[in-house]
Amino acid sequence: MPINLIFSTIIFLLTSISTAQDFNTYFAKGSLRIDYIHSATFNDELFSVDNFFHEPFWGGSQLNLIDTFDYGAYKFEVYDSTNNKLIYSRNYSTLCGEWKYTKEAKSLWRSFSESVIMPFPKNTIKLKFYKRLKNMKWELWTKIYVNPKNYMISPTLKTPIKSFKIHDSGDASKKLDIVLIAEGYTQSEIQKFMNDAQRFKDYLLACDPFKQYKSDINIWAIPSVSVESGTDIPGKGIYKNTLFDSHFYTFGTERYLNTTNNIAIRNAAANAPYDQIYILVNTDKYGGAGIYNFYSICTADNKYSDFVFTHEFGHAFAGLADEYYTSEVGVEDFYDLNSEPWEPNITTLVDFNKKWKSMVANSTPIPTPDIEENADILGAFEGGGYIAKGIYRPKHDCSMKSIRYNDFCPVCTKAIIDRIKFYSK
Ligand SMILES: [Zn+2]
C-alpha cells in the first residue's frame, strides 16, 4: 500500500463513525429529507435546493452509516460541521441521470425532482454531493449546509396514511425495510392492493437469495389512494389521474414504466421506516423500472409480475445492471467501454479483478464462449448492458438477462446478499 493511501485510510477510519453511541451523538429521532431539483442536458447538470422535511421514521442502520459500496451515478456525504467528521453517506442513481443519455438530452434541458434522506442530525451539517463522470471518477457537484434548527424544516407528515407491516422481522434499524406503496388503486380497490402486496411479498421471499435472508427483511404496505385506476399509457393515448402520475413509454420505450412525481412518492413512503421504496402499479400491462437506491416500480397483474418485481429490485437494491443486450432501450452510449462500470454484474474486462474473477474457475477461458457446454458455468460472456460487444456478463443466463423468475446468477446472488447484510448487520 503506498504511504499516502495508508494515511488517507487511517484518516478515513478516524473521521468516520461506527458505533451506536456515535449515532446518538450525531443524530436525533426521525429523518431529514432534502428535496432538490436536478436539471440536466447531455453534458451539464444543475442542483437546486427545493425543500426540507423532518420525517418521523428512520429505517436505516445505526451502525452502517457510511456507504461501503462504490455503486451509483451520484453520492452524498454528510459532515458534522462542529468537527468535520464524516457521519453519513449514501450512493444512488436517478432517472435524470439516465435521461442525460437519451437523444432528447442532446438538444434540451430537463428538470426532475429528487430526494435524499438521512438520520436527522443534531448539529449543522455540511453536505457534499458528487456526480460520477463517464470515466467512473467522482466530481464534487455541490456543497450545502443545513441547520437542523431552521424553522423552515417542516415536521408535518404531508400525506398521512396508515401503514401495515406485512412481514415483520423486528427492529427497523437492524433490518432491510421495504415499503410497498400503491399507485393507480382507487379507494374501492384498496383491499385489492393489500392482497397484491401480500402476493408480492411472497414473490420476494420465495426467491433466492431473499428466501434465505427472510428474517433480515421487513416489508410494509402503504395503501395510498388514487382518483382513477391504472396508469398512463401515452403511446396508446391513455391518461389516468393517479397519485404518482406513473406512465409507460419512458424515453420512448413502451415497457419502461416510471414516475417523475418524486414528492408524492416520498410523502407516501414517509409513513413507514424505509430503506427501499417499491411502487406497485395497478395494471396488467408488462413493465417496470428499478433505479439504484431511488425506487423500484412494477405492475401488479402481469403474468410475469413475479419476475419483473425481483428483477427491478435487483437494480434498485443491489445495483445490478441489465445483462441483456437485444431489447430496445431509450439510452445511447450508456457505458464507457474504456472503464470498468460500477455495477457488480457486468464488466468491460478493463479491471476484471475488481469484479467476479475470483469466483471463476482457472480453467475457464475469458472471454467465455457462449456455447452449450458453458451454459451453467461462471465466466465472462460477451453481451450485456444493452450492447452486444465490449461488455461481459457472468453467466449465459440470469434473472437480470431474461424473463426468468428466481434465477439470479451466482454473481448477482452474492451482490444481493452483500447488500442485505449491510442493512441488517
Ligand atoms: Zn446475473
Side-chain angles (χ1 to χ4, degrees), residues 320 323 345 394-395 397-401 407-413:
L320 301 176
E323 293 178 19
N345 62 325
K395 220 182 139 184
D397 214 346
C398 169
S399 288
M400 295 313 290
K401 178 171 179 282
D407 194 22
F408 285 108
C409 73
V411 171
C412 290
T413 299

Side-chain angles (χ1 to χ4, degrees), residues 1 3 5 35 56 94 98 103 106 113 123 141 166 187 192 207 233 241 271 300 332 335 345 359 378 382 406:
M1 200 186 248
I3 198 87
L5 198 57
D35 291 357
T94 71
E98 291 180 16
K103 206 179 262 174
K106 297 260 173 14
S113 168
N123 305 320
W141 186 17
I166 60 172
Q187 187 64 56
K192 175 182 185 297
C207 175
I233 312 176
N241 181 1
N271 288 283
E332 303 170 336
Y335 293 104
N345 62 325
M359 295 168 74
L378 267 194
E382 193 161 33
N406 193 18

Side-chain angles (χ1 to χ4, degrees), residues 38 45 70-76 90-98 100-101 129-134 136-139 141 291-293 334 342-343:
H38 184 175
E45 292 174 76
D70 195 31
Y71 297 167
Y74 302 89
K75 67 174 178 179
F76 68 98
R90 276 297 176 272
N91 293 29
Y92 62 107
S93 292
T94 71
L95 189 61
C96 185
E98 291 180 16
K100 278 192 326 182
Y101 292 97
F129 286 84
Y130 296 83
K131 56 181 178 177
R132 207 191 279 273
L133 304 176
K134 190 97 196 242
M136 293 294 108
K137 296 208 166 40
W138 292 106
E139 183 180 88
W141 186 17
I291 300 171
Y292 182 59
N293 271 349
F334 199 63
W342 59 261
E343 290 91 339

Side-chain angles (χ1 to χ4, degrees), residues 191-215:
Q191 190 52 51
K192 175 182 185 297
F193 168 73
M194 293 306 292
N195 297 342
D196 290 348
Q198 289 288 344
R199 180 163 51 87
F200 279 82
K201 174 198 81 176
D202 293 340
Y203 291 159
L204 189 78
L205 300 181
C207 175
D208 298 314
F210 299 102
K211 189 161 80 182
Q212 290 77 32
Y213 291 87
K214 250 182 210 179
S215 62

